[in-house]
Amino acid sequence: MKRLLYIMFLLPLGLNAQNMYDVSSFLENELVGTARYVGMGGAMSALGADLSTMGTNPAGMAMYRSSDFAFTAGVDIKTNKAVYEGSMLNSTKANAYVGNAAFVFSMERDGDYLEYLNIGIGYRRKNNLGGAFEMGGASNGYSQQYVIDALYRNNPFADFNAPKSWMYENFSYSWLPLLAAEAPLVDDQGNYFLTYPDTTLIWRPDELAFYEETRGGVNVVDFNLSANLSDRVYLGATVSASIVDYNRYTEYREADMIDDIYVLENNKYIKGSGFDIKLGAIFRPFKYSPFKVGVSVHTPTWYSLNEYSSATITGPYGKYCSTADHDLYNDLLKVRSSLRTPWRFNASMAYTFGSYVALNAEYVYTDYSLTKFRGRGAVEKSQNEEFECNMKEQHTVRVGAEINADGFAVRVGYNYITAPFANDAYKYIYNASVAETSTEYMNRFDKNVVTMGFGWHDTIFYCDFAYKLELQKAEFYPFYDFDYVNPGASVEQMNHSVVATVGLRF
């Protein structure tokens, strides 16, 4: 970590790339898909014969012996409980979404080895990023103003009344100090933020608070080709195109016993597209046994991202300033970058007892510290050092079971997913684009997912339902400062999802 900080302090900053916490939201694969898939906890990579396996193990599509079409919709209810300095706040937001719409065309072949050749195409929701979060409590001497002062000291400006075009275009770090100067968080002698030499805050907060609302997600279109060889070997490949559409609004405020001292609002919109390939195989090693093993590998997703961000501050005298009001800065408010996610590996096994019981277990591995930005030399190096130091390997274990009787099925599943962030990860505001003026970040810990579901089917029509409960703890920090380390808020996240699928097999 010290090596990372040393590199960052030597670099010319004002970097043109999204920060690590922006993109971490859509690096992971959520448990979203058909209700059967969700009900079994996504543990179907060796069982196959479900449209959602296009996105996990493409060879699962080779299990089809008839054509299939399905449509899935769901509702998420996300809740957050945040405890900060003894104060607790709860936030809840519900989102409706289309989880899956897919089709597979199965063709029986007369060859000696090739029994079925299947072609699939589908849409799926990879990440549901909509939600709300709120925290607040007593300041107890902590303040974002110390961070603002540190930013200013790294790139000071002498004249508060200088032309704004000059100040913004020539400031090398985050524009946060410039906004604060326009608020103005200064005294009548022009001392900036802190009085000297005792570093006492001019504006001393009694309380601080934060609110966040997010919308959007990552959608994926899959194109799959799979083959059944002698009903012993199943092969598949999926080409996936991802679409990112993510909006984030945040509001940070500091207040004394009388009124708000200042309110900082940030709006961020990230859109883009990505591309990856998935290869998979399933083997039935024993001729007269239903035991199957599966393996798959996902190449990195290569993303091209565009971000537009703006910030607004309302100061202690009600003075308002927004970066979006300055047309001159539009090119700096827009950031373009390229991102490459890490490789992903999946190993699975399944066993069936006749047509009555199906069991599947699998393991997924990926290393998020290998996520890479692409850009100019020094920029690329510092951003990739940030991923290397702050993110880590992730391990996922999934198990699922299904019991069938007379066309009615009951399913259960469980996931354990390790944390994607290192224990001491933090957001380094110096290593951000000039338009980045938000200082907060959240480190998520291990996640537990419990699922259950049921369904009914006849020879053609089927319908399935599933419920998913996600539990995860996290730590939220409104800012990070080396000299005045904020204790952060303890967060408990709970996500309830209800999913329904209707489909036809013919």
Side-chain angles (χ1 to χ4, degrees):
M1 185 64 71
K2 290 182 179 179
R3 176 172 174 264
L4 171 66
L5 297 179
Y6 178 74
I7 292 173
M8 290 178 176
F9 273 114
L10 293 179
L11 287 175
L13 300 176
L15 305 178
N16 290 324
Q18 284 82 14
N19 69 69
M20 178 186 69
Y21 286 93
D22 287 337
V23 300
S24 67
S25 299
F26 50 83
L27 287 179
E28 298 181 77
N29 290 326
E30 292 186 22
L31 179 53
V32 181
T34 66
R36 182 182 179 223
Y37 176 83
V38 173
M40 292 189 65
M44 297 196 69
S45 294
L47 279 176
D50 188 274
L51 294 169
S52 293
T53 60
M54 267 194 265
T56 55
N57 186 346
M61 300 294 289
M63 297 291 181
Y64 276 103
R65 289 173 169 80
S66 61
S67 298
D68 187 10
F69 169 79
F71 177 84
T72 303
V75 176
D76 274 350
I77 302 176
K78 295 183 178 181
T79 63
N80 290 282
K81 181 177 74 173
V83 178
Y84 179 77
E85 294 291 87
S87 298
M88 183 179 72
L89 289 173
N90 293 287
S91 52
T92 301
K93 187 175 182 180
N95 297 284
Y97 63 93
V98 175
N100 176 276
F103 172 78
V104 59
F105 180 61
S106 181
M107 297 175 286
E108 188 173 5
R109 314 302 294 173
D110 296 326
D112 293 335
Y113 300 102
L114 180 60
E115 296 200 8
Y116 287 89
L117 182 65
N118 299 335
I119 299 174
I121 181 170
Y123 159 90
R124 59 187 167 92
R125 185 79 155 175
K126 178 185 173 185
N127 300 92
N128 291 316
L129 301 182
F133 175 77
E134 186 174 10
M135 60 77 65
S139 172
N140 290 337
Y142 301 108
S143 173
Q144 188 191 58
Q145 295 177 61
Y146 290 113
V147 180
I148 298 173
D149 180 71
L151 283 165
Y152 166 70
R153 291 170 185 269
N154 275 274
N155 194 185
F157 51 91
D159 187 358
F160 292 104
N161 298 311
K164 296 299 183 292
S165 61
W166 184 91
M167 292 172 64
Y168 279 84
E169 288 185 348
N170 290 276
F171 204 71
S172 301
Y173 295 94
S174 164
W175 283 344
L176 187 52
L178 300 176
L179 287 171
E182 293 193 53
L185 294 177
V186 297
D187 64 11
D188 53 9
Q189 282 80 45
N191 290 325
Y192 199 79
F193 306 112
L194 309 176
T195 56
Y196 306 113
D198 62 356
T199 67
T200 301
L201 287 177
I202 297 168
W203 301 97
R204 303 179 189 178
D206 295 298
E207 296 180 347
L208 56 85
F210 176 84
Y211 174 77
E212 173 189 82
E213 185 171 352
T214 56
R215 292 181 290 115
V218 181
N219 302 313
V220 180
V221 178
D222 294 316
F223 302 90
N224 175 271
L225 180 65
S226 60
N228 177 337
L229 305 179
S230 302
D231 208 25
R232 296 284 301 277
V233 177
Y234 310 86
L235 303 175
T238 297
V239 177
S240 300
S242 301
I243 302 171
V244 179
D245 188 356
Y246 177 54
N247 289 268
R248 183 170 182 262
Y249 168 80
T250 64
E251 182 180 286
Y252 174 84
R253 65 177 64 233
E254 294 190 1
D256 57 24
M257 299 302 293
I258 301 174
D259 200 357
D260 289 335
I261 297 172
Y262 71 98
V263 179
L264 175 66
E265 299 172 86
N266 277 277
N267 284 282
K268 182 169 292 186
Y269 176 43
I270 300 176
K271 64 178 181 179
S273 58
F275 169 85
D276 71 276
I277 298 173
K278 303 170 181 67
L279 301 174
I282 298 173
F283 305 95
R284 191 162 60 86
F286 310 111
K287 184 175 181 179
Y288 298 107
S289 171
F291 176 72
K292 295 188 287 290
V293 294
V295 292
S296 66
V297 58
H298 300 190
T299 70
T301 302
W302 290 270
Y303 282 109
S304 176
L305 301 174
N306 293 277
E307 173 188 311
Y308 178 82
S309 59
S310 63
T312 299
I313 194 166
T314 303
Y317 305 111
K319 188 172 181 180
Y320 166 95
C321 174
S322 174
T323 58
D325 291 339
H326 302 284
D327 291 338
L328 179 64
Y329 313 142
N330 278 347
D331 288 341
L332 296 177
L333 293 174
K334 296 177 181 178
V335 175
R336 296 177 177 85
S337 63
S338 297
L339 177 73
R340 189 190 75 197
T341 68
W343 290 78
R344 187 181 301 270
F345 303 93
N346 179 301
S348 56
M349 59 182 179
Y351 194 88
T352 57
F353 297 88
S355 60
Y356 302 104
V357 178
L359 305 173
N360 192 105
E362 59 191 76
Y363 167 75
V364 184
Y365 171 83
T366 190
D367 186 353
Y368 289 116
S369 69
L370 301 178
T371 304
K372 300 294 183 182
F373 272 114
R374 293 183 59 191
R376 301 187 305 273
V379 173
E380 181 178 311
K381 183 177 181 180
S382 64
Q383 291 286 345
N384 293 335
E385 284 271 356
E386 186 174 26
F387 272 105
E388 182 180 343
C389 293
N390 287 308
M391 301 198 77
K392 63 181 183 179
E393 299 175 338
Q394 185 177 74
H395 309 271
T396 300
V397 176
R398 302 180 187 137
V399 292
E402 179 183 62
I403 300 175
N404 288 278
D406 298 325
F408 185 80
V410 177
R411 308 173 182 105
V412 293
Y414 172 74
N415 290 186
Y416 177 75
I417 307 166
T418 63
F421 293 101
N423 293 334
D424 58 350
Y426 64 95
K427 181 178 180 178
Y428 192 67
I429 189 64
Y430 301 96
N431 189 30
S433 66
V434 291
E436 179 69 58
T437 56
S438 60
T439 60
E440 72 287 338
Y441 61 98
M442 183 183 293
N443 291 333
R444 304 186 302 275
F445 301 144
D446 296 355
K447 181 190 292 187
N448 291 275
V449 184
V450 179
T451 67
M452 60 187 69
F454 63 92
W456 173 86
H457 65 89
D458 61 17
T459 55
I460 297 177
F461 175 79
Y462 63 91
C463 61
D464 296 302
F465 302 89
Y467 167 75
K468 176 181 68 174
L469 173 63
E470 295 181 345
L471 300 171
Q472 188 172 33
K473 293 185 177 181
E475 286 184 351
F476 173 84
Y477 298 88
F479 48 80
Y480 182 90
D481 181 67
F482 296 110
D483 298 318
Y484 302 90
V485 179
N486 188 282
S490 298
V491 181
E492 293 182 5
Q493 299 179 320
M494 183 179 296
N495 180 17
H496 304 271
S497 298
V498 178
V499 183
T501 298
V502 293
L504 297 171
R505 288 192 175 182
F506 50 93

